[in-house]
Amino acid sequence: MNTLSTSAHLTVRPGLANLLRWQEPLATRLRYRHTLPGMVANRLLNVELGLYLLAELLPLVPPQFLPDLLNGQGAAYRQRPIWSPRQHRALNQARTLLAPYRDRTVWFKALEKYASLASDVRVFSLNGRGGWNTDISSYVLRERLGLFQGVLA
C-alpha cells in the first residue's frame, strides 16, 4: 500500500511542477527587458492571467471580483452566463494556478502592485472600465494573450 501511494504521489508531482513553470521563458525576458526585480515578472504574469480569466468568463465584472470567481461565490458568479466546457476547464486550471488569489486581501495587494508598474509593462488597464492597455504594442499583446490562452486550454 505504501508503494502505491508513493507512486501515485510521484505521478502527480511532475505535472504540478510543469504547471508552475508556465511563465518561463517569458518571465525571464520581462525581467531583463524591463529590469524587474526578483519575482515581479512572475507575479505580473499571475495577475494578468487572473485578469485574462475575468475578461474571458465575466467580461463586465471589475478586476476586484477574481476571488469570487475562483471561489465560486458572489453575485457575479451566481449570475454568470452559461459557460462552454472549454471555459469550465479554463476556470479549473486557473483555480490551481491562481490559488493564492482566492484570498481577497492577497488579490487586492497584487492588483495594487500591478497598477504601480510602468504602463509599458502591463497588458491590462485597471483605470475606468479596464480592458487592454493602449500603451502596449500589438506584438506584446499577442504574445501574452497567446500564453494565457495556452495555459488555460
Side-chain angles (χ1 to χ4, degrees), residues 85-103:
R86 180 192 62 77
Q87 289 171 309
H88 281 284
R89 281 191 306 275
L91 177 58
N92 287 334
Q93 182 78 343
R95 283 177 170 153
T96 301
L97 295 172
L98 303 174
Y101 298 143
R102 288 177 172 225
D103 180 325

Side-chain angles (χ1 to χ4, degrees), residues 3 17 34 39-40 52 63 66 80 94 100 106 115 117-118 127 146 150:
T3 306
H34 299 284
M39 299 296 292
V40 171
Y52 173 81
L66 181 70
R80 70 191 181 278
V106 172
L117 294 171
N127 299 331

Side-chain angles (χ1 to χ4, degrees), residues 16-79:
L16 183 57
N18 288 336
L19 284 178
L20 299 177
R21 288 191 207 128
W22 66 269
Q23 302 157 327
E24 298 301 334
L26 180 57
T28 301
R29 285 197 316 271
L30 287 171
R31 243 179 253 116
Y32 289 107
R33 187 182 306 150
H34 299 284
T35 59
L36 298 174
M39 299 296 292
V40 171
N42 298 81
R43 280 178 277 193
L44 166 120
L45 293 173
N46 283 335
V47 169
E48 288 187 345
L49 182 64
L51 295 171
Y52 173 81
L53 180 72
L54 273 173
E56 287 291 303
L57 300 182
L58 298 172
L60 302 177
V61 173
Q64 292 77 11
F65 285 88
L66 181 70
D68 289 346
L69 176 61
L70 295 175
N71 291 317
Q73 300 173 344
Y77 183 82
R78 285 191 298 275
Q79 297 171 5

Side-chain angles (χ1 to χ4, degrees), residues 95-139:
R95 283 177 170 153
T96 301
L97 295 172
L98 303 174
Y101 298 143
R102 288 177 172 225
D103 180 325
R104 188 173 306 284
T105 304
V106 172
W107 176 242
F108 287 172
K109 284 180 183 176
L111 280 178
E112 190 176 304
K113 288 177 184 177
Y114 181 77
S116 73
L117 294 171
S119 69
D120 65 331
V121 178
R122 295 179 282 122
V123 166
F124 290 90
S125 171
L126 298 178
N127 299 331
R129 294 181 48 165
W132 310 123
N133 178 3
T134 56
D135 294 337
I136 207 89
S137 76
S138 61
Y139 171 79

